[in-house]
Amino acid sequence: MKIAILPGDGIGPEITAQAVKVLNALGESFEMESADVGGAGYAAHGHPLPEATLKLAKQADAVLFGAVGDYKYDTLERALRPEQAILGLRRELNLFANLRPAILYPELAGASTLKPEVVSGLDILIIRELTGDIYFGKPRGVRECPDGPFKGQREGFDTMRYAEGEIRRIAHVAFQAARKRDKRVTSVDKANVLETFQFWRDIVTEVHQEYQDVALEHMYVDNAAMQLVRAPKKFDVIVTGNMFGDILSDAAAMLTGSIGMLPSASLDANNKGLYEPSHGSAPDIAGQGVANPLATILSSAMMLRFSLGLTEQADRIENAVKRVLAQGLRTPDIHEAGSTKVGTEEMGNAVVAALA
Ligand code: IPM
Ligand code: MG
């Protein structure tokens, strides 16, 4: 089984190194190959998604991705910015289903900014469509405004669109995921204003006919944002489009108080996937050995489960993470009085030790 390792920028290399260490400790024979991506790709090859990196990602059975982005690349033209690497990988590998679990580990209940009773036991799964919507819709750009009071001025524009098949396949992913959980799906849209999302609602409702054992509710995105902070435990699976999913998944992640803990998976139709922590490249703490590697380690567990069919090994990693938390080990982002503060490397070593 071949795994492409794309560490990227900022804390990316430090955290992926820990996940690689954990994978190597499992006793399986993975073939792992690394390549530059993001700012590191631009620095070494003049492009955030160098050709060789894309080729490796396509060849591999799964991709483990760190994070991309750094202030020093913010002034580059859009096509060369680090973010283009992840957008390009999603598009080129057809990774249309983005699974973002938000779980509150009981040991970390105090880390949330919300009251413990509102979040304790939180376990929701956001399924974000990842290759359509206004993110990729064309046409887009800056043009001369064709009408209205600002006619003749420059205007920026993007195109929101969803094809029926795009909505159907992500709806299937959501209903199937719900069957393995609490059998409830909330489809989030903006059907009261947007044509695209009235269509979304209609198609999700149609697909639901095939899943009568799963409960479906529809919710407008503004209300969903409110409910996420008011009563987040009411959700089981949330399915939504690319743009709304981007926003809601950050809010959901922060409910747990520890975005450094949350993994994610981006899957194609055959469960080939890219796995990455939900957090970003955190350039402000890069190279200091203090980043939390657990989200990346847990992403590697998702990879074993979804793409490589190694369920028991995935369980081993997840249990090892629970064990180190129970031992009181905390990186600075989740540290509180009474726990033991450790660095990136120590945390990785502790997970390896806890695998046994
Ligand atoms: C995410 C990120 C990306 C997105 C950026 C880096 C392009 O925010 O994965 O949520 O908007 O999808
Ligand atoms: Mg985002």
Side-chain angles (χ1 to χ4, degrees), residues 1 12-13 34 67 80 133 159 202 213 262 266 286 300 323 329:
M1 280 168 287
S34 302
L80 296 177
D133 203 350
T159 304
D202 294 344
D213 54 321
L262 298 178
S266 303
S300 73
R323 240 170 259 145
L329 304 186

mmCIF file of all heavy atoms in Angstrom, residues 1 12-13 34 67 80 133 159 202 213 262 266 286 300 323 329:
data_model
loop_
_atom_site.group_PDB
_atom_site.id
_atom_site.type_symbol
_atom_site.label_atom_id
_atom_site.label_comp_id
_atom_site.label_asym_id
_atom_site.label_seq_id
_atom_site.Cartn_x
_atom_site.Cartn_y
_atom_site.Cartn_z
ATOM 1 N N MET A 1 0.833 -1.186 0.000
ATOM 2 C CA MET A 1 0.000 0.000 0.000
ATOM 3 C C MET A 1 0.875 1.246 0.000
ATOM 4 O O MET A 1 1.765 1.383 0.826
ATOM 5 C CB MET A 1 -0.900 0.008 1.239
ATOM 6 C CG MET A 1 -2.116 -0.878 1.057
ATOM 7 S SD MET A 1 -3.000 -1.149 2.594
ATOM 8 C CE MET A 1 -1.880 -2.275 3.420
ATOM 9 N N GLY A 12 3.166 21.919 9.296
ATOM 10 C CA GLY A 12 2.894 20.703 8.515
ATOM 11 C C GLY A 12 3.963 19.630 8.639
ATOM 12 O O GLY A 12 3.659 18.475 8.968
ATOM 13 N N PRO A 13 5.241 19.978 8.377
ATOM 14 C CA PRO A 13 6.289 18.951 8.456
ATOM 15 C C PRO A 13 6.418 18.321 9.852
ATOM 16 O O PRO A 13 6.615 17.106 9.959
ATOM 17 C CB PRO A 13 7.559 19.727 8.081
ATOM 18 C CG PRO A 13 7.071 20.860 7.228
ATOM 19 C CD PRO A 13 5.734 21.241 7.809
ATOM 20 N N SER A 34 7.364 11.065 0.095
ATOM 21 C CA SER A 34 7.021 12.457 0.386
ATOM 22 C C SER A 34 7.217 13.339 -0.834
ATOM 23 O O SER A 34 8.035 13.046 -1.701
ATOM 24 C CB SER A 34 7.902 13.015 1.506
ATOM 25 O OG SER A 34 7.750 12.233 2.654
ATOM 26 N N ALA A 67 -0.386 20.672 6.131
ATOM 27 C CA ALA A 67 -1.108 21.948 6.042
ATOM 28 C C ALA A 67 -0.330 22.843 5.095
ATOM 29 O O ALA A 67 0.874 22.658 4.917
ATOM 30 C CB ALA A 67 -1.204 22.594 7.423
ATOM 31 N N LEU A 80 -0.700 31.015 -7.671
ATOM 32 C CA LEU A 80 0.545 30.478 -7.112
ATOM 33 C C LEU A 80 0.502 30.381 -5.586
ATOM 34 O O LEU A 80 1.467 29.952 -4.951
ATOM 35 C CB LEU A 80 1.737 31.359 -7.533
ATOM 36 C CG LEU A 80 2.010 31.383 -9.040
ATOM 37 C CD1 LEU A 80 3.163 32.332 -9.358
ATOM 38 C CD2 LEU A 80 2.330 29.979 -9.564
ATOM 39 N N ASP A 133 -19.952 23.995 -6.228
ATOM 40 C CA ASP A 133 -20.403 25.239 -5.585
ATOM 41 C C ASP A 133 -19.616 26.444 -6.100
ATOM 42 O O ASP A 133 -18.930 26.391 -7.119
ATOM 43 C CB ASP A 133 -20.261 25.074 -4.055
ATOM 44 C CG ASP A 133 -21.163 25.996 -3.235
ATOM 45 O OD1 ASP A 133 -21.780 26.912 -3.800
ATOM 46 O OD2 ASP A 133 -21.240 25.788 -2.013
ATOM 47 N N THR A 159 -19.580 32.115 -9.546
ATOM 48 C CA THR A 159 -20.809 31.428 -9.945
ATOM 49 C C THR A 159 -21.117 30.285 -8.990
ATOM 50 O O THR A 159 -20.298 29.382 -8.819
ATOM 51 C CB THR A 159 -20.682 30.877 -11.380
ATOM 52 O OG1 THR A 159 -20.351 31.954 -12.251
ATOM 53 C CG2 THR A 159 -21.988 30.233 -11.822
ATOM 54 N N ASP A 202 -34.437 19.969 -3.036
ATOM 55 C CA ASP A 202 -35.320 19.057 -3.772
ATOM 56 C C ASP A 202 -34.619 17.720 -4.045
ATOM 57 O O ASP A 202 -35.208 16.655 -3.883
ATOM 58 C CB ASP A 202 -35.736 19.685 -5.116
ATOM 59 C CG ASP A 202 -36.598 20.929 -4.903
ATOM 60 O OD1 ASP A 202 -37.107 21.120 -3.777
ATOM 61 O OD2 ASP A 202 -36.738 21.721 -5.861
ATOM 62 N N ASP A 213 -35.074 4.686 6.620
ATOM 63 C CA ASP A 213 -34.662 4.409 8.006
ATOM 64 C C ASP A 213 -33.884 5.573 8.604
ATOM 65 O O ASP A 213 -33.578 5.575 9.798
ATOM 66 C CB ASP A 213 -33.815 3.131 8.050
ATOM 67 C CG ASP A 213 -32.628 3.184 7.084
ATOM 68 O OD1 ASP A 213 -32.789 3.715 5.958
ATOM 69 O OD2 ASP A 213 -31.541 2.717 7.461
ATOM 70 N N LEU A 262 -8.744 17.587 15.646
ATOM 71 C CA LEU A 262 -9.755 17.078 14.713
ATOM 72 C C LEU A 262 -9.193 16.695 13.350
ATOM 73 O O LEU A 262 -8.582 17.506 12.671
ATOM 74 C CB LEU A 262 -10.859 18.123 14.545
ATOM 75 C CG LEU A 262 -11.601 18.449 15.841
ATOM 76 C CD1 LEU A 262 -12.635 19.524 15.588
ATOM 77 C CD2 LEU A 262 -12.248 17.208 16.427
ATOM 78 N N SER A 266 -11.090 13.447 2.850
ATOM 79 C CA SER A 266 -11.703 13.904 1.606
ATOM 80 C C SER A 266 -11.649 12.739 0.637
ATOM 81 O O SER A 266 -10.564 12.299 0.251
ATOM 82 C CB SER A 266 -10.937 15.101 1.039
ATOM 83 O OG SER A 266 -10.881 16.136 1.995
ATOM 84 N N ALA A 286 5.342 27.597 13.999
ATOM 85 C CA ALA A 286 6.099 26.601 13.222
ATOM 86 C C ALA A 286 7.544 26.495 13.713
ATOM 87 O O ALA A 286 8.151 27.490 14.099
ATOM 88 C CB ALA A 286 6.088 26.982 11.749
ATOM 89 N N SER A 300 -4.464 9.960 10.106
ATOM 90 C CA SER A 300 -3.870 8.727 9.565
ATOM 91 C C SER A 300 -4.734 7.532 9.959
ATOM 92 O O SER A 300 -4.843 6.562 9.202
ATOM 93 C CB SER A 300 -2.413 8.577 10.011
ATOM 94 O OG SER A 300 -2.338 8.232 11.377
ATOM 95 N N ARG A 323 -5.656 7.030 25.210
ATOM 96 C CA ARG A 323 -4.802 6.675 26.356
ATOM 97 C C ARG A 323 -3.859 7.824 26.745
ATOM 98 O O ARG A 323 -3.715 8.134 27.918
ATOM 99 C CB ARG A 323 -3.981 5.428 26.009
ATOM 100 C CG ARG A 323 -4.250 4.277 26.956
ATOM 101 C CD ARG A 323 -3.613 2.995 26.463
ATOM 102 N NE ARG A 323 -4.597 2.144 25.835
ATOM 103 C CZ ARG A 323 -4.385 1.343 24.791
ATOM 104 N NH1 ARG A 323 -3.189 1.298 24.225
ATOM 105 N NH2 ARG A 323 -5.347 0.605 24.321
ATOM 106 N N LEU A 329 -1.352 13.865 29.210
ATOM 107 C CA LEU A 329 -0.405 14.565 28.333
ATOM 108 C C LEU A 329 -1.143 15.560 27.446
ATOM 109 O O LEU A 329 -2.160 15.230 26.838
ATOM 110 C CB LEU A 329 0.356 13.564 27.458
ATOM 111 C CG LEU A 329 1.101 12.454 28.200
ATOM 112 C CD1 LEU A 329 1.934 11.620 27.231
ATOM 113 C CD2 LEU A 329 1.992 13.045 29.285
#
